[in-house]
Amino acid sequence: MSAATMSAPLRRIVSVADEAGTLRLADDIAAIARPGDLIALHGDLGMGKSAFARAVVRRLAGEPDLEVPSPTFTLLQSYETARFPVHHFDLYRLADPDELIEIGFSEAIGEGLSLIEWPDRAGDELPAERLDIAISEGKDLNGRRFSLEAHGDGWAERLDETFAVRDLLDRAGLAGAERRHLHGDASTRSFERATVGGQAAVVMRWPAWRAYLKRSDDDRYEEIVHLADSLTAFSAIADTLRRHGFRSPRVLDRDTERRLMLVEDLGSDGIVHNGVPITERYLAAARRLADLAVVVWPEIAADDAGNRWPMPRYDRRALATEVGLFAAWYVPHLTGASLGADDLAEWNNLWDGLLTRFDDEQGRLVLRDYHSPNILWQASGDPIGLIDFQDGLLGSPAYDFGALVTDARVDIPDELAAAMIAAYVDRRRTLDASFDAADFLERATILGAQRNAKILGRFVEYAARTGRTHHLRFLPRVRRNLEKALDDKVLAGVKLWYERLGLAQRP
């Protein structure tokens, strides 16, 4: 891209020298596309409207060789991608805007991303909120000039962000990199992988979280449970982990104002294959967790650039607030009715009694989401690559072990769980002869139950708040994990409450 300058608050001019530049721009636009977006492509014959639309479709589909014919005669070609449907319109042969009814124009443009060539022929049917891209000749024979004009729906902010990502990639030596969406988690963050030649990096977008649960004291849920809201949390914990001998991604660059971070790509080889846990990898993950449990973590973590991050503590209030999501969100989801005041008070009292046990155990790093999506297998050196630790805090090592053996996304067979327990205990005893295995495993049971109860409520709440329901498919497994934990005598009181309310009999 030879130029990308803002000429007005809602207008941006991008000049490219060749087809490769056009493909990069298509990448940049595809990276910020959302369901319901409409992109209107203007330009004379031969300016490359179809080529640009084809590149966007292929990027979203993740198939560089996907057949994307011009819809000149059919008016519409539709594609299913992993993210959302894409509709490619060519209205050149449209005789009357009323013909749009016959091809389902209004339904299609609200469903996924719509790319429209010759959009002026749609008349008043063209929505006001859209991105207009006018393509004209560039300075060179194969060059093009793209005039991008944003109309509502946050297009101006998104364009600013996607070109900021491109600047990060260029500065990191990844000029011309292709960008691919990566599935994220139930948070505000989103990710993409950028690759060029044999190099790769991961782009993390981290919008500031906003309060979505209020308590009587008007504190924000995120503050109570100590969810991080600073890029420094990620870099400080990542670099401190690496200084202690663990594998975490290096931060390559960042744009603090736009909350963007470019980090080392640890690959996509995990500890699960085709939905089945890989035994030796899970055992390695258990052993590395034991190694982490003996590290005396600093009260203030610091990254290699000297930025400091005070580590919060996994205190009783945070743990209790998290487990409260089960009562506030999952129980009504399951039964169709909110808990009565007495039942809610009993739930809270039961957990308050259990969680007092951890008041004095807040001195080790808790990664917080140590499970299969966040453990990447490394071919050399330390085999366990750690990601998604920015919400880490100081607490009990039993929490992460409970997360590992009760994975929301993978069924962990009993024999594998037993082998992980043995591997963990053996490593801890090697490192610390005073290690009390029975006490640790009881703590892991309590915190595993707390975590699974929290996840049940969190996924229901997340779906209600965002409309994204894909996490709900994990609810049956998480519920099984919780009910299995309730069979332990240490959780006998919670089990009686659970059974008395008839929750065990609910489908």
Side-chain angles (χ1 to χ4, degrees), residues 3-275:
T5 58
M6 185 73 76
S7 57
L10 299 178
R11 190 161 178 257
R12 183 182 287 264
I13 304 299
V14 178
S15 295
V16 303
D18 50 26
E19 183 182 3
T22 296
L23 294 179
R24 284 197 299 274
L25 178 59
D27 251 10
D28 296 338
I29 298 302
I32 57 172
R34 299 173 182 170
D37 281 346
L38 187 144
I39 300 175
L41 299 170
H42 307 263
D44 295 335
L45 287 169
M47 283 297 101
K49 298 185 297 297
S50 293
F52 183 84
R54 185 177 299 114
V56 172
V57 172
R58 286 174 173 171
R59 292 296 190 255
L60 290 171
E63 299 180 37
D65 299 321
L66 179 68
E67 183 69 22
V68 184
S70 173
T72 301
F73 295 99
T74 60
L75 298 184
L76 168 64
Q77 292 281 352
S78 295
Y79 306 87
E80 290 294 331
T81 74
R83 295 176 62 191
F84 41 73
V86 181
H87 305 294
H88 181 194
F89 294 88
D90 186 333
L91 306 184
Y92 183 73
R93 295 181 178 273
L94 190 73
D96 188 297
D98 289 343
E99 295 179 20
L100 294 173
I101 298 175
E102 300 176 14
I103 61 173
F105 182 78
S106 60
E107 293 83 1
I109 62 174
E111 177 188 19
L113 169 66
S114 295
L115 300 160
I116 304 180
E117 299 183 47
W118 304 100
D120 293 342
R121 307 203 175 189
D124 294 337
E125 297 298 318
L126 199 67
E129 292 194 352
R130 63 183 187 272
L131 174 64
D132 282 320
I133 301 180
I135 310 174
S136 56
E137 292 182 347
K139 294 180 180 179
D140 304 314
L141 178 63
N142 295 318
R144 290 291 184 269
R145 181 180 185 271
F146 293 84
S147 176
L148 284 64
E149 190 166 352
H151 302 275
D153 201 26
W155 270 113
E157 292 80 7
R158 282 191 273 163
L159 289 172
D160 179 67
E161 179 191 86
T162 199
F163 289 121
V165 169
R166 182 60 69 183
D167 289 342
L168 284 177
L169 296 174
D170 290 348
R171 290 203 303 265
L174 295 167
E178 294 184 4
R179 301 163 61 178
R180 294 287 183 272
H181 175 77
L182 291 175
H183 290 293
D185 52 14
S187 75
T188 61
R189 290 170 298 136
S190 61
F191 307 86
E192 60 184 73
R193 174 174 283 122
T195 57
V196 59
Q199 296 179 285
V202 172
V203 178
M204 178 170 67
R205 295 181 178 85
W206 192 350
W209 46 249
R210 293 171 175 81
Y212 56 88
L213 286 178
K214 294 283 188 178
R215 291 163 57 91
S216 58
D217 55 7
D218 204 38
D219 279 336
R220 291 188 286 192
Y221 170 84
E222 295 90 342
E223 292 176 342
I224 296 170
V225 304
H226 310 303
L227 296 184
D229 195 34
S230 169
L231 273 62
T232 297
F234 184 94
S235 60
I237 295 175
D239 291 350
T240 306
L241 278 167
R242 199 164 48 256
R243 287 194 291 271
H244 282 287
F246 296 90
R247 187 69 184 274
S248 57
R250 297 180 183 276
V251 176
L252 305 177
D253 204 347
R254 73 181 78 192
D255 183 331
T256 303
E257 179 183 354
R258 296 178 180 86
R259 301 182 63 86
L260 303 171
M261 186 172 278
L262 187 66
V263 303
E264 179 186 5
D265 185 6
L266 298 187
S268 55
D269 189 12
I271 60 174
V272 174
H273 180 67
N274 291 332

Side-chain angles (χ1 to χ4, degrees), residues 186 212-213 221 225 227 314 318-331 347 351 366-371 391 393 399-400 403 408 446-462 475 478-479 482:
Y212 56 88
L213 286 178
Y221 170 84
V225 304
L227 296 184
Y314 219 168
L319 291 163
T321 300
E322 288 180 335
V323 82
L325 294 176
F326 178 87
W329 290 94
Y330 183 70
V331 172
W347 171 262
W351 278 103
V366 177
L367 296 165
R368 207 170 203 167
D369 279 308
Y370 191 72
H371 59 157
D391 292 323
L393 26 62
Y399 184 92
D400 284 338
I446 295 171
L447 292 179
Q450 184 271 354
R451 174 179 171 82
N452 282 286
K454 171 189 72 173
I455 291 173
L456 288 168
R458 176 73 165 171
F459 283 178
V460 171
E461 181 275 334
Y462 180 76
L475 293 183
V478 180
R479 182 176 167 188
L482 173 62

Side-chain angles (χ1 to χ4, degrees), residues 265-420:
D265 185 6
L266 298 187
S268 55
D269 189 12
I271 60 174
V272 174
H273 180 67
N274 291 332
V276 178
I278 303 173
T279 297
E280 62 272 20
R281 297 187 179 185
Y282 265 85
L283 296 181
R287 295 187 187 100
R288 285 306 273 156
L289 201 55
D291 295 337
L292 183 61
V294 299
V295 172
V296 179
W297 196 261
E299 295 281 339
I300 299 177
D303 62 23
D304 294 343
N307 299 302
R308 295 158 58 85
W309 179 251
M311 296 295 300
R313 295 186 179 277
Y314 219 168
D315 52 42
R316 196 193 319 174
R317 187 185 186 206
L319 291 163
T321 300
E322 288 180 335
V323 82
L325 294 176
F326 178 87
W329 290 94
Y330 183 70
V331 172
H333 170 80
L334 188 65
T335 66
S338 298
L339 281 174
D342 291 343
D343 292 330
L344 178 59
E346 184 180 355
W347 171 262
N348 291 335
N349 289 334
L350 284 167
W351 278 103
D352 187 66
L354 289 165
L355 296 175
T356 57
R357 186 167 182 170
F358 302 94
D359 286 347
D360 297 327
E361 192 183 16
Q362 296 170 16
R364 296 296 187 265
L365 176 65
V366 177
L367 296 165
R368 207 170 203 167
D369 279 308
Y370 191 72
H371 59 157
S372 58
N374 299 329
I375 303 173
L376 298 175
W377 189 255
Q378 306 299 295
S380 60
D382 183 353
I384 301 301
L386 303 174
I387 60 173
D388 198 4
F389 42 69
Q390 66 287 328
D391 292 323
L393 26 62
L394 296 178
S396 170
Y399 184 92
D400 284 338
F401 189 76
L404 182 65
V405 298
T406 61
D407 198 312
R409 290 163 174 78
V410 182
D411 289 324
I412 306 294
D414 290 343
E415 57 271 23
L416 175 57
M420 282 193 285

